[in-house]
Amino acid sequence: MRETRTIEFKETITNTFLKTVSAFSNYDGGEIFFGIDDNGKIKGLSDVKQACLDIENKINDSITPQPDYTLELQNNDRTIKLTVKGGLQKPYLYKSKAYKRNDTATIEVDTLELSRLILEGKNIRFEELPCKDQNLTFDTLCQKLKECIQIETFNQDTLKTLNLYNSAIGYNNAAGILADKNHFPGIDIAKFGENISVIHKRATFDNISILTVYEKTLEIFRDYYQYEEIQGADRKKIEKIPEAAFREAIANALIHRTWDVEPQIKVSMFDDRIEIISPGGLPSGITVDEYLSGKLSVLRNRNLANVFYRLGFVEIFGTGITRIKQLYEGELKQPDFEVSENTIKIVLPVFEKDLDLTEDERKIYKLLSRTMLKSISEIAPYVPFGKSKTTQLLKEMSKKGVVRIEGRGRSTKYAAQ
């Protein structure tokens, strides 16, 4: 066992562990083991019963509000496990400061993070706060409601129904984000050529309704990743990347991003893929595995999500990732999803043409990336044959022009062409 974001070791009992209690309480919980050194080696405590009393007294006297925790003796009563649960009454403060985990370290939260914890403790979301601009118009939203669900009458009652307005605070931030003109960031798009130094198109959509941002982004997508083929008397639309997958990815980015920061959603378009990077990691209450599997959905911006759902831009909440995966079913190159503390990245690859690969070659090709070179040692463990056959297959694939080889001898590495 080693220290992680949710596990910390303490050889002795000092007040420093209280910062970590604050951090675990403010977020998703964790465990602190006393009597174990930083390397995970058991050292033991001389008097575990007194140690438990000391830990309990320090927490009760120093952390406000009272966190939810349990103490358990382990390793033949030589060590103590302190389990701290994520709390509802955030922020949990130690000496009037709130803390969070940063990998294996505990650090004080910044002003933005503290304000988020305060709102979360009050069960208020940023989109529900009063919008600083109350002089808003909604021509785009009105038009979309007429087109998509045949709403003929659009007035203040419509906005109340959509949870965008109430008489106490006026328009909220969700209304501002949907308004024709606003102060919120949008999407920055770049279409690259053969490398990132060659930019074929650059477009930025800011300070306008996200419904307009959504539509304009789709227009640029269609210019580069769709074309028509004449087949006899018919014209057939060909998709290099499924539009349905791109729609889901952009809608997810707009619905789930954090809106209290300035960065735009970044859309980088390449000949072989699209990368979409959205500000804000996963909301509290959902793990990476739950997000990727589609088993659980936690809406950061439920009012915005509700509007997108009513307009038919998204289907049932929480199915976006699953739908994207389904649209690539059977393809050699699959979508990639990367989650960090502050961003979510979705990579949509271009559909591969018929590469005339054998079944064994297809197994190898699925492991390769155009952007990351891999050695034989990194490939062989994931295919059902040895290094020698893997090397030979890669050489054959190189002759077919689907794999590039760089380096020589033990430094040889491979990537998709």
Side-chain angles (χ1 to χ4, degrees), residues 49 107 133 189 193 204 210 214 226 259 270 297 314 325 354 361 375 405 416:
K49 290 185 179 179
I107 61 173
D133 184 1
I189 302 174
T204 302
I210 61 166
Y214 178 73
Q226 292 180 359
W259 285 98
F270 302 89
S297 176
V314 295
K325 290 179 178 179
D354 184 7
E361 288 172 342
S375 65
I405 302 175

Side-chain angles (χ1 to χ4, degrees), residues 354-377:
D354 184 7
L355 300 175
D356 189 28
L357 300 178
T358 67
E359 190 60 33
D360 286 345
E361 288 172 342
R362 289 174 68 88
K363 291 174 182 176
I364 294 175
Y365 191 80
K366 286 183 179 181
L367 298 171
L368 298 179
S369 164
R370 282 186 170 84
T371 58
M372 185 181 299
L373 292 160
K374 291 186 177 182
S375 65
I376 286 292
S377 297

Side-chain angles (χ1 to χ4, degrees), residues 23-64:
F24 287 160
S25 299
N26 283 325
Y27 294 91
D28 298 322
E31 298 168 338
I32 304 173
F33 294 85
F34 296 91
I36 299 178
D37 68 16
D38 291 342
N39 297 316
K41 186 177 180 181
I42 296 173
K43 297 292 186 178
L45 298 167
S46 58
D47 187 344
V48 292
K49 290 185 179 179
Q50 183 60 47
C52 283
L53 288 174
D54 290 344
I55 293 168
E56 189 172 350
N57 288 334
K58 286 179 181 293
I59 293 174
N60 294 344
D61 293 343
S62 305
I63 305 293
T64 54

